[in-house]
Amino acid sequence: AQSVTQPDIHITVSEGASLELRCNYSYGATPYLFWYVQSPGQGLQLLLKYFSGDTLVQGIKGFEAEFKRSQSSFNLRKPSVHWSDAAEYFCAVGPYNNNDMRFGAGTRLTVKP
Amino acid sequence: NAGVTQTPKFQVLKTGQSMTLQCAQDMNHEYMSWYRQDPGMGLRLIHYSVGAGITDQGEVPNGYNVSRSTTEDFPLRLLSAAPSQTSVYFCASSPRRVPTGGNGYTFGSGTRLTVV
C-alpha cells in the first residue's frame, strides 16, 4: 500500500501566481516529514522538514509547508512562483518499517511566463 | 565540494551484462542508500548501509548487490542486467538512517541506466 500520496502528477501555474502542492500520508503517529526538489538532471535537494513543534515550517527558496495532523497532510506552498521553480517536487515521510523513509511519486511543476 | 559523487552519469547495457554503479561521499556519513526512480513511482529504496561492513535490503532489492568496505564508498552491482532495471539511480547519504537533524539526505546527481 502506498504510504505517501502526492495526488497531482503535474501542475502548471503562471509566474507570480501562488502554488500549493499536496502531500498526504498514512502513519500511526507523528511522522518526520520532508519536501525535496529535483531540477532536471540533478539529484534531490531538501526544501524543508518537520519533526515537531510549530506546524508551519519555513524552507529555502521562499517555500513553506504546514503539517495538519487531522488531515494527514503536509502541503507545500509558495506565495509567488518564479520561473526557476519549475522542477519536480517530492514529499518524504517516515520512519516506516525498519526505519525507512518513503517518497511520494512526485509532482512536476511547470511555470508559464 | 563536499557531497555525494555518482559515476557514471549515463550507461547503456545489453541484457545479461553486469556493471557497477559507483557512489562516494566525503562527509563521513554512516548511512548510505541506493534508490531507483521510475515515472509515477517516486523513489524506491534498493539497498542501504548503516556503516562499513553492514548492508541490508530495501523495498526492491532483487537483481542488485551491494557492499560497504569503507565509510566513503557504497557501490551498487547489477549482476545480470534486465530491461526492467532501466531507471535513474540515486545514491544518498546521511549521518543517520532517519535524518532527524541537519539537511536530511544528501543525494548524488544520479545515473541514468538503459538496458536494451
Side-chain angles (χ1 to χ4, degrees):
Chain A
Q2 180 70 15
S3 301
V4 185
T5 302
Q6 293 181 245
D8 304 305
I9 296 173
H10 184 205
I11 284 182
T12 299
V13 301
S14 298
E15 190 169 16
S18 63
L19 171 70
E20 182 169 29
L21 302 182
R22 296 181 291 166
C23 174
N24 296 98
Y25 61 87
S26 57
Y27 199 81
T30 300
Y32 300 130
L33 299 157
F34 304 81
W35 275 99
Y36 287 86
V37 60
Q38 183 183 29
S39 298
Q42 301 297 313
L44 279 71
Q45 179 187 17
L46 182 70
L47 282 175
L48 47 78
K49 58 186 183 288
Y50 173 80
F51 299 143
S52 64
D54 191 348
T55 56
L56 183 63
V57 293
Q58 303 297 321
I60 63 171
K61 305 185 179 186
F63 285 92
E64 67 177 25
E66 186 171 12
F67 167 56
K68 292 186 176 180
R69 184 191 307 275
S70 62
Q71 299 178 17
S72 296
S73 69
F74 188 57
N75 294 349
L76 182 71
R77 301 194 294 249
K78 187 169 184 178
S80 178
V81 171
H82 188 262
W83 64 266
S84 61
D85 293 325
E88 187 147 20
Y89 292 80
F90 292 91
C91 179
V93 180
Y96 286 96
N97 296 335
N98 297 321
N99 285 329
D100 286 341
M101 299 298 292
R102 302 280 175 85
F103 286 81
T107 297
R108 184 161 61 92
L109 174 66
T110 297
V111 181
K112 294 190 302 183
Chain B
N1 290 338
V4 177
T5 302
Q6 288 185 239
T7 56
K9 291 190 180 300
F10 302 94
Q11 182 71 49
V12 178
L13 289 179
K14 294 182 179 179
T15 297
Q17 286 186 316
S18 63
M19 79 160 294
T20 299
L21 280 63
Q22 301 292 344
C23 175
Q25 53 92 7
D26 58 2
M27 298 169 285
N28 202 34
H29 285 171
E30 290 297 319
Y31 179 76
M32 297 184 73
S33 56
W34 278 101
Y35 290 87
R36 58 177 290 172
Q37 181 183 24
D38 302 293
M41 304 290 288
L43 279 74
R44 292 180 292 169
L45 183 64
I46 304 172
H47 285 285
Y48 66 91
S49 168
V50 297
I54 306 170
T55 64
D56 207 344
Q57 297 179 350
E59 184 182 0
V60 288
N62 292 342
Y64 307 95
N65 278 358
V66 292
S67 60
R68 183 98 178 267
S69 56
T70 66
T71 298
E72 294 77 20
D73 299 299
F74 190 45
L76 178 72
R77 298 183 185 84
L78 283 71
L79 301 179
S80 178
S84 61
Q85 294 178 304
T86 293
S87 187
V88 180
Y89 291 85
F90 287 99
C91 180
S93 75
S94 172
R96 295 172 55 184
R97 182 173 182 179
V98 178
T100 55
N103 295 319
Y105 294 145
T106 300
F107 285 86
S109 58
T111 295
R112 184 174 295 275
L113 175 67
T114 302
V115 183
V116 298

